Each structure stands twice: as structure tokens, then as C-alpha cells.
Amino acid sequence: MSNTKAALKAAKAALDGHKYEEAAKEAQKVLDVDQNNYHANVFLGLAYAKQDKNDEAERAYNVAAKAKPNDPLVWQGLITLYEKQAGKKIDQYGNAALNLAECLMAIDDKERCQTVVDKYVGFAKQHGTRSQYKHALEMMLPTSSLYDYLEGRFPKPDYIYTKVVEITEAEEKERINKEIGERRTRLGAKIGQVTTEVKREVLEASNLEYLYGSIIDWTSDDDLRRLYEEKVLQRAYDTLAVLPLKQKDTKRAQVRKLAEGLVILKHPFALAWMITLEWKDTETIDAYDVGLLREYTELFPEDGLSKVLKAYLSSEISPFPQPPPQTTDDNKDDEMAISTAEDRLLLMAEGAEESSRSVLSQRLMADYYTYLDEYASAVDSAKKAKEQISLETQVSGLEFQDNLDAVNVLLATALIHYESPRNHPEARSLFETILERKPVNTSALIGLGLILEEEDDYAGAQHSLARALKQSTHVKVKAEYAWCKAMTGDYETSLHELEACLPAIEKTDVKTKSLRAQTLYRIGMCIWNLEPSKEARKDRAGAYARFLASLQANLNYAPSYTILGIYYADYAKDKKRARKCFQKAFELSSSEVEAAERLARAFADQREWDLVEVVAQRVVDSGKIRPPPGSKRKGISWPFAALGVCQLNNQDYAKSIVSFQSALRISPDDYQCWVGLGEGYHNSGRYIAATKAFEQAQKLEASIDDIRVGDTWFSKYMLANVRRELGDFEDAAQGYEEVLSIRPTELGVTIALLQTHIESAWRSIELGYFGQAADSAVKAVVVAGVVVKGRPDAFNLWKALGDACAIFSWMQTYLHRFPIDEVRSVLEFDKTVGMFDQMTEIDKIGASALDKLCLTNETHITLKQCMRAAILAHKRLIHTCVHDIHAQAVAWYNLGWTEYRAHSVFGKDSMANPINNDSLHLKASVRCFKRAIELEAGNSEFWNALAVVTTQLNPKVSQHAFVRSLYLNDKSARVWTNLGTLYLFQHDNQLANDAFTRAQSADPEYTHAWLGQGILALLLGEVKESRSLFAHAFEIADASTIVTKRLYASSAFDQLLTQLSLNGITNVLQPVFALHQLKSQITADYVSEHLQALFCEHIGANNEATESLSAVCARVEEEYESSESPLSLARFAQAKADLARAYLAAQDFDAAVENAETALDLSADLDSNFQAFNARHRYRLSAHLTAGLAYHYTGSMDKAITMFRTTLEETNSNPDVVCILAQVLWAKGGTEERDVAREQLFNCVEKYPGHAGAISILGVIAMLDDDRDTAEAVTADLHDLRTRTDLDEQYQQKIGRLLAALATSDHDKERQESGVTAEATTAVMLAPSQPHGWSQLAQLTDYTFPTEMVLLTAMGSVPPKGALDAEDLGKAFTGSSRPADAQRAVMMAPWVAAGWEGLL
């Protein structure tokens, strides 16, 4: 114990001597003995504190404080320690300060106690956070243990509470913003939901409401008290807004109580008044406390709701009595502000806009707008009120059902009249919903009755109005109920009841003037329908007087004007007054459909389509024409139909289609609408849809009684037009003829029929149906004869007649069908002097040419007559349109092309025309095109035409014209192609290629662009490229292009000569068909006919070849006799040589010999200097071979051998000729001849080692002679031939069969069998995809696999995959020995016996 005291004294002495380490050691000695020693811990804490060992010091002080908590010394030491650390230990400082203050309070030391508290608050404010400062302030609040002791020394509680509130508000705001910022970034988070959740968490945990209440309780300042009462209410309201629905009841009661308290005190806090007013759930406005409403307007004169209330309470519809007049200046100003109805409406509108969140404001506005019949605004205000009710329900948790029902009644009532009847379903649904809860709601019953009345459901309307009458005796309900009876046909009862209602409607009451006018109108309608006779309706004392009385009651009542218009139009026969009445009615109300229809018809009769469109569009916009879903009322289609007609007249076809479709949705059986819809489709290019529309219209013709036969012709005419546009010319012509049978005087239909025949003819030429084209042209001439009698000055008449004549120049085979007499008759009709004198001085074709348009028994129709007739028709066209510059320009243009066409066909037929006549037509065409350009210089086609006809006459002019044409239209593929052709003539290949490329880019389907590039490729030596271009041009070309057929056939024949075969039969047949069409188009083109004969020879059509070549020979012989030119002689000789070969193929050997010898005789006379002399040896070789083979087949072996030897001499022992000669010598049978044959073949093989024909023939001879040495040598050569790629598949098959035959000629049976099998397997190895090797192997073995492979490879080798013919395929099927395959063999090649044998 003594040691402890000594240590404490030593520690105290050390502290006094500032020896803090020593003091700590001494104090620690005491603590080692007694660790709870108070003084030792105090000394240790102080020593550590002086050494800045704050944590150790704090621990020592805390131990001491536990030992003696009521000793101020230890708490003073802790406070000193905490103050030294600034803001690090403020919370612990607060605890120490409180304990120290309580210790001082225990010893009744107020000064020091207050000092400790003040010092702590100041320190927390300076160094601590807001929360720590708030905690320090709370030490001064009445809730503190020190407050009672230091009361009077502390600041007033309301001041401290205010400071705490400010800090708390700032903390909560900061926390809310922080939490929202963190949570809004989470996946799926919504800002509204996050905000609500955060506010709910913060507000529920907050004590601000308590703090506000404390301020209210402690403050003596009334203004401050009211301020915090507002804050309490606002805080409670905000908390209520974020609470879940189940937790709102208590808080809502609190909010309501607080708000009512402020309202009782008449404190001008808007939220309190809004809660009191807005939370009142009442179905009628009169349930509100009018005093409260007026107090609100006084307290908040500039508030939006206040403005609405002020105006509404002063209006005529206010349910409250007006206040007694006051004479204060403010009230005088208010009365002046709303002295008129306009001022009242402006004030209410301004207030409603400012108080858009107020349910009461929007509800009052909807009510007032309904009273003013401003239904659109009423609907808008009612919908806004519903939205605010929904929002207020979410905030307060109250349903506000009565408010909602009242707003729904206003909304539904406005919807009845707003865009009626479009909104009737919505209004009806609202009324029915209300009546489910409140079956006797008068407003809902009346509204539902009005809707049913509008929908023509008068029985339902009567029932609903009868229920309303039980609850209300309002005169309007009685009037509507009586009118429903009238609508059901009970006019007499309705009349009495309406007349009974009339006295109850005051004449001077502004509110009831519309009702009085309506009732008088309905009384008049009852009288009108009760007495339908003409005399009764004309009686001015009857219904007429009621209608006038209705207008006297209300000059703006539209239905009265409508019925008066009907009266003046139908009975008084005063159209002027009737029109004024209809216009007035329609101006007042777009729902007056009857007045609108009569106005539209009147405007349509006067062709005032703009006014018709305005009337119809307004009726459409009114919404009256379409009945609501489920309504019994029928829709009205005429406004849409009228709109469609107006839009057709304005060429707005897309809109007209929509209008007619809308009309047809309402009236599907409207004939005229179907016709109008079809016309709209036709004019917009939608021909398929137009066809369906017109066909539907024609289906309706039989079912509609009021349509006369003569009224249906237009639909037939338009359907014919559509079919003509679709290219169905036959049906179109039939349709026009049907129309003409109904209306034979319709000249426009006749002209359309004429143009249809012409278009059909041109289309038939494009498709290659030249016979049909001739028929159409003849029909066109016949129709032209009809048109010329009715309208000889028709532009299309002479254009069509010229085309009908010129068409025969494109199908010269059918010239005999040209109706020359009919054409002359049309041209001579109403002929005048000078009618055909245009360009007569150049082309020599005038009126005198008509005399040459005749046909006698000795002559036949010529191409020249056709072209003359065409030129005369176009000349008369120019005379016809002399007063129309544009039409005249087109006429000159058409004449120019006709002249150029004459130049083209006559220039290629020297026998048909004098040699210079074609140049006259060319000059005339140049003059025509120049004249057309003078009249219309901006037409690119005119410049192009001039450029074409001057291509060879003047290339510079031609180029200028082409450039001008491209300047006007640089997208024309035709012009670019023509320019490329000009460059070709001028040998500028690069520019020509560029022009052709531009043409292909402009129109890839333009044939001549590809054709020109093909010619260019041919000139540049790119033969393969030119062939593909010619083939492509032929594929995309129509049948009218002559040059395409020529070039394609020539390139195909050149390919045939170089490749000996064309891939696929199609590539051979297409040129044949092209040349066949060319023959129909140009009868004098013997070159093309010769080429066609060569193709026919190639495909085995020997009879066609001989016929064509005979015609060619006759034509060339005639030309040679007239000209005696070497060229004609060479052509004649070549034709004879080809004809001889054709006769040989047809097995007419005598004719073959005759023609071959003629060809040899003719070719012998040719001069070696002649340019075609180099080709002479080819057809002489053909003639020699043909003659030799013909002699061989006729048995004249010596002559045959002589021909072949002569051929050998002329061809320098050609190996192919040697092979033919060897076969002929062998066939003669003599030993000497066979030796010569062997010798010739050996020499040929020696001279031409790889000649397959010579080797093959030697192999056959060796097999026949049983010459093993030669056979072995030939076998080796044949094996080499099998590996060559230049031999086709058929020849490879022949070599395989020959090798197999040589193997079978071996006398050794074993080697014979192995050799045959080896050859078969070799054939399979070399060509595994070909059936011949597998077929040989199948015959040698009993396995089924080779047989199956024969079938597989055979089916894979047929065209287009290979060249296997039907006979070989049939043989492959017969090899399987299956009945099914034998049936297939018979089907493939019924002429092969093996297939039939397989069926046995």
C-alpha cells in the first residue's frame, strides 16, 4: 500500500516536473498492482496525452471514468484530449462533454456546466459534420437531461429546433439524391419507381414531422408557427404520396386533419385548400360549400382555380345563388372583369390552363364547355379531369368514385355530339358503366337514350328515356321521349306530346332557345310526315309555319334550314331559295348530310368540282357518314364517291382510289363506285386491279334494276381499255365491239377499236405471229373505213391507217392479204385538192398515186403499193392537223419514218424498185424530220430520227443531231446505240464501244446495243465474244428485228462450220426458226433462205432444204439473167452445189447428179480475178463429192471413181476424199480396185499419220481380209486414237466397237475372250460416264452391275447433259431384261424392235 502511495506521489511529482515518461512508468507500477486505480489511470492518461500518445491516454482515462464516473477530473482530461485531436473524436467528445456537464450539474456549477455545453457545440460546429453539429445542438433541446437545469441559459427551443430542422432537411435531400443516382443505374430500374422507393425509405425513417411539431409547440411567433404548420402538412402529404396503398389510411387522416385545420383558420396555404376542395368526392357541384369556394377566390385571387371558380360562380349555370351586391372597389373591378360571357370564358380558360393539375378546375371547365356546346373542348377538359383523378387516387388512396362518375357523364355527354357518331361507342360504354353502379343516374339514362336515338334504335332509346322520366320531369327529356315515338312512326302521339312540351319552354330564356327551336322543328316534321300529300306540304300554315317558327326561336338551328330547302326545291320550285337554305344549313352544321348532298349535286351539275370536293370533304370530316360498330344506322357513301370523282377530274388517282374504296366499304353494291374505282386503278397503271373492279361492276349490272342498258357501256369501254393496256387485244377488241353494239355512234370507242387492232398487229409482229398481225391490220383498215365517215379529221385515224399499211412491209409473205381496195376507199373519202401534195416534188408520190392503188386480175399486190398507201395516209394526216403545231410536228415525224421505211425496203429489193427511187425516199425523210424539228425543237426523238437518216448522207450533221438528242434526253438507249453505229461507220471503234456500253447501262434489255457491240467484237477479231453477244441479243429481241436474226444465224452457222456440232439441239433449232421468221418478213432475202436451207440440211430436214434451195436457185438464176454479173454467177453455182447435196441426202440421186454437174459447169466459167474465186474450190469439191456419191448409189462406179479422182487432183489428195474413194473402190468388188483402195489408204496414213478415218477403214479391211499383221498395226493406232481429245464421243464409240470386233477375229478362243473383255474394260476406264463401255462389258459378263451402270450412265448422257439419242437410250433400257425397263425402251424409241421383244 505504501509502495502504491509512493508511486502515485512520484508520478504526480514527475507530471509537475514535465517528466512525462517517468510519470507514466510510476503510474504503470501502481496499475500493475491495482489496474483499476483511479489516480494511477488519470496520471497515466495525462502522461500519455502530454507525449501525444492519444489512444493509450484515452484507454487510461476510460478505465478511470469507469472507476469514478462522477469525478469531473477524468472527463475534463478526455475533453482536453479530444480537443487536441480536432475533428477526429467529436462523437466521443460529445459523450465526455455530456458526462462532465452532468457531473457539474450534480455539484450545482451552472457556469462551468453551460461553458462545457457551449464549448462542445462550438467545437462540433467548427470541426464536425452536419450530423455531429445536429447532435451537439440536441444537447440544448428540451429532450436533453441538461435542459431543465440550464433552462434560461440555453437559447429558445424553437431557435434550436429550427437549426436542427435545417440540418435534417439538408441531410435528407442529399441522401435522396445520392440514392436515386446510385439505384437508377441498375438493370431494369425505372426512374419513377426508384424515386418513389428512395423517398419512401427516407421519409419513413425521418423525424422531421416531430421536429416541425416541436417548433410549432415551442414557438411564440405566429408566422413561424404557420410556416411550420405548412411544412408539417407538406411533409405529411409527400409521405402519403409514396406510401403503399395499405398504409395510406392513417397518414391520409392526418393530412386531411391538418389541411382542414389550416382552412378553418383561413390560412392562405394553397395545398391545404386544394386538399380540402379536391378530396371532396361529390357527384354534383352544389354539394360544395359555396362559402368555402368564395373564400378560396378571395385568398388566392391570382390562382388558376380561383379564376375558374370566380367565373363559374358568376355564370348562369352556377348552382349557387349569387352573393348580395357589394360596393367595394375590388368587387367593382371583379364585376367589370367578367361582365360578358366572352370575358367569363377567357378568364376560365386562362385559369384552367394555369391549374391543369386541378380536378375541380377541369371538371368545371368541362361543365361550362358542355353548356356552351363546345364539345371538343369539353372532351379535352373531361379527359384531363379523369387523368388528374387517377393521379390523385394514386397519391391519396381515395377512389373518388362520385367525382369520376360526374366527369364521365360530362365526357360521355360531350362525346355524343363531338365527331358524332364516331365516339358513340366510347360514350355508350361510359354511360353503361355508370348505370351498372347507379341504375337511376338521370344524366346517364338521358345520354344513353340520345345515343340509341342517334343509332336508330328508337325502342331502346324510348326505354332509357322512360327510366329517366321517372327520376326527372325535365322538358328536354320529355321532348326526346316524344321524338323517339315519332321516329317509330307514331307521329300523331309524338305531335301531341311535343306540343305539350312547348309551353314549358320559355321564349325569352337564352338557355332554352335551342330546345324551343328543336321542338318546333320536330312538331313541323310530325305534321310533314302525317300529311305527305303535295298540297298539304305546300300549305304555308302547316309544317312550313313550324319550320319558320323554329328559325325565329334560333336562327342558327341547321335542320330547319335543310327542311325549308327541301320545301323550296321540291314543292315551291324556288331553286334559288332552296340553294340558299342548303348552304346556310351546311354552313351551320356539317352533319346536315341531306343539305350537303343536294348542294354537291347542284355543284356537280354546274361542273364546279372544287366546290363539290369541299362539300364532300367536310361531310367526311364530320364523322356522320360511318355508323359506329353495332349501330342499326346505315352508312353514307356518296361523300366518298363525290370525292373520288373530283380527284379523278384533278388527276389525283391515288387519292381517288382510296375514296372509292371507302365508299365501297359502306355500300359494297354501289355500281358507280366500282366503275370509278376501276377508272382510278386504270389511270394509275394498276391494270389487274382495274380489271377486277370493272368485272365486279358488270356482275352488279344484272342485280340492279334502276340501271338502264345504255348506262352500262362505260364500264365495258373502260374494261376494254384495261385489257388493251394489259396486251389482251382480242378481248379488248371484243369489248369495244360490244360497246359499239350498244352505242354505235360513239366515235371515241371506234377510234379506240382502231388503235387496238393496230397495237395488236405490232404486238403480233414482235411475237412472230405474222398471220395474226395481218388479220389485225386488215381489221384496222375496215374500222378506219367506219371512222372516216364520222370524223375524217381524226388524228389517230390516219396515223393508224398508215401503220396498218406499213405493217405489211414487216411481213412480206402476207402481202396478198393487203386490203388495197378498202385502203384506197378510205384515202379517197372527202378528198380535196392539195391534200397529198406534201413532199411530192421529192418522193414523187401525190394524189395521182391513188390511181395505182388497184388490183387487176393480171397483177398482184406489191410492197411498193403498201408503202405508197402508208405514205399517202401520213400525208393526209399532215393536212388534217394543219392548225395544231404539236400534232403537225408529230405528223411530219411519222411521215419521215414511213419514207425511211420505204427507203429501207426498196433499197434492199432492186427488183421491186428503180435503182434511184430509194434515195428519193431518203431525201424526203430528211426533209420531214427537219420540218418536225422546226415545229418542235425540244423533242429528242426528232433529233434522233434526223441523225439516223443522215448517218451516211452527212456524218457531221448526224453526229450533231445525236448529240442534240442526248442533250435533251441522255437516258435513251436507242440514241446511244444509234450514235455507236455512226461511230462504227466512221471506224472509231473506241467511241463506238463507249456508246454501246452507255446504251446497255441505260436499258439492259435494248437489243441493238448488244448487237452493235457484237459487230464491234467481230470487227476486232473476237469471234467467240461476238457469238455470245449475238446470242444474247437474239434471246432478248422481239420477232420484228431482222438484223438480229441474220447476225445470230450467221454466227451460229460459222460456229457449226468450225466445231462441226453445236451443243444441244436448241442451238441448232433456234437459228432455223429465226431464219424461218425472216423468210416470212422478207421474201426477197435469198441469202437468209440459203442459210436456212444449210441449217435444215444439218438437222436432216432434207425436203425443206431442197425446197428452199430450189427457190434460191430460181431467184439467183433470175438475177444472173438480168445482171450477168460474176457475183450472181458464183451465187448460182454455189446454190446448185448445195442443192445437189440436198438431193443426195434426200436420195434423189439423179437430181443430185444433174445439179452437181450444173454447179461444176457454172463454176468452170468464173474468172480467177474475181473476188469470190477463192471460195470456188469449196463448192466445186462439194459438187464433185456429191456427184461421185450419187453415181456410186446409182451403180455408175466408173463415173463415181472418175469424180473422186478428179476431186483428189483438185484437193491435192485430201484424206477425207481418199477415204470415200477407198470405200467406193472396195464396194466395186474387184481385186484390182481393192488393191488400189489399200494402196490409197496406206499412202494416206503415211502422209497423214493421225487420220482417224483412214486408220478405221484399214482396220475394217484387215478384219475382212483376216490380215493379222495389219490388224495388229491398226489396233495399236486405234489405241492411240482413243486417247485423243479432238474426237467426239460418237467417234470414240465407233473406235471401241472396231477394237472389240478386231479382238473377236483372233482364232485363239482364249485370247479372243480376254481381248474382248480387255477392250470393254479399257472403254470403261477411258470414259466411265459413257454407256458404250459398260454396255460391252454387260454383254460379256453375267454380273448385273454393268447392266445397272449402263442405265445410269445412259440417263446421264441424254440432252442437255450429253448427246445420247433416244434410240441408244432405248437400247440401254432393253439390256436390263426387266419388263419395266422394256416398257421405258418402247416409250423412248417405239421404232426399235428390241424394246418390243423385251416385253415378250
Side-chain angles (χ1 to χ4, degrees), residues 219-292:
T219 185
S220 59
D221 186 350
D222 290 339
D223 293 336
L224 184 62
R225 182 180 295 108
R226 297 291 176 263
L227 173 63
Y228 280 94
E229 284 176 350
E230 293 176 4
K231 287 194 174 187
V232 169
L233 176 58
Q234 185 68 58
R235 182 71 173 191
Y237 183 80
D238 293 341
T239 306
L240 176 65
V242 297
L243 285 176
L245 181 61
K246 296 180 179 179
Q247 301 177 16
K248 286 181 181 288
D249 294 343
T250 304
K251 183 59 70 174
R252 182 173 61 247
Q254 177 191 356
V255 170
R256 191 189 291 272
K257 181 179 179 181
L258 291 172
E260 290 175 351
L262 289 174
V263 170
I264 291 172
L265 295 174
K266 297 183 181 180
H267 180 64
F269 182 49
L271 178 61
W273 289 86
M274 292 298 294
I275 291 172
T276 303
L277 296 177
E278 300 291 347
W279 283 13
K280 187 173 182 59
D281 189 16
T282 174
E283 194 169 352
T284 58
I285 299 297
D286 57 9
Y288 280 91
D289 183 355
V290 66
L292 195 66

Side-chain angles (χ1 to χ4, degrees), residues 615-630:
V615 172
Q617 187 61 55
R618 191 175 175 208
V619 175
V620 170
D621 294 339
S622 71
K624 285 287 186 180
I625 58 177
R626 284 195 179 97

Side-chain angles (χ1 to χ4, degrees), residues 512-578:
T512 59
K513 67 177 184 177
S514 296
L515 178 59
R516 183 175 181 82
Q518 183 187 62
T519 305
L520 287 168
Y521 163 77
R522 289 176 173 179
I523 291 172
M525 289 302 300
C526 289
I527 298 173
W528 183 273
N529 290 306
L530 279 172
E531 300 177 2
S533 64
K534 187 173 183 180
E535 292 76 10
R537 290 188 173 181
K538 289 178 68 176
D539 184 8
R540 290 179 175 264
Y544 176 79
R546 305 306 193 282
F547 299 143
L548 287 181
S550 172
L551 291 178
Q552 290 173 357
N554 185 3
L555 283 174
N556 294 325
Y557 190 65
S560 295
Y561 286 105
T562 300
I563 191 63
L564 281 175
I566 295 173
Y567 170 82
Y568 287 126
D570 297 346
Y571 299 98
K573 304 301 180 184
D574 190 343
K575 293 184 178 179
K576 185 176 181 180
R577 283 190 175 181

Side-chain angles (χ1 to χ4, degrees), residues 750-778:
T750 310
I751 293 176
L753 176 61
L754 173 62
Q755 291 177 323
T756 300
H757 287 313
I758 293 300
E759 292 174 7
S760 176
W762 284 119
R763 182 59 177 166
S764 298
I765 287 177
E766 291 176 358
L767 297 175
Y769 303 146
F770 301 117
Q772 291 183 9
D775 293 338
S776 298
V778 172

Side-chain angles (χ1 to χ4, degrees), residues 106 370 689 764 806 1018 1107 1268:
T370 303
S764 298
L1018 192 62
E1107 291 177 4
R1268 297 306 307 162

Side-chain angles (χ1 to χ4, degrees), residues 64 91 96 266 410 562 667 677 705 750 784 862 912 1024 1112 1287 1289:
D91 293 335
K266 297 183 181 180
L410 291 172
T562 300
S667 301
L677 178 62
D705 298 331
T750 310
T862 63
K1024 186 176 181 180
V1112 170
L1287 299 178
E1289 296 176 359

Side-chain angles (χ1 to χ4, degrees), residues 613 617 620 626 637-648 652-666 673 676-677:
E613 184 174 8
Q617 187 61 55
V620 170
R626 284 195 179 97
S637 62
W638 71 262
F640 285 116
L643 277 178
V645 173
C646 296
Q647 288 154 355
L648 281 178
D652 195 350
Y653 304 120
K655 289 185 178 179
S656 71
I657 291 171
V658 175
S659 297
F660 283 123
Q661 286 176 337
S662 300
L664 288 170
R665 290 190 187 100
I666 299 172
C673 286
L677 178 62

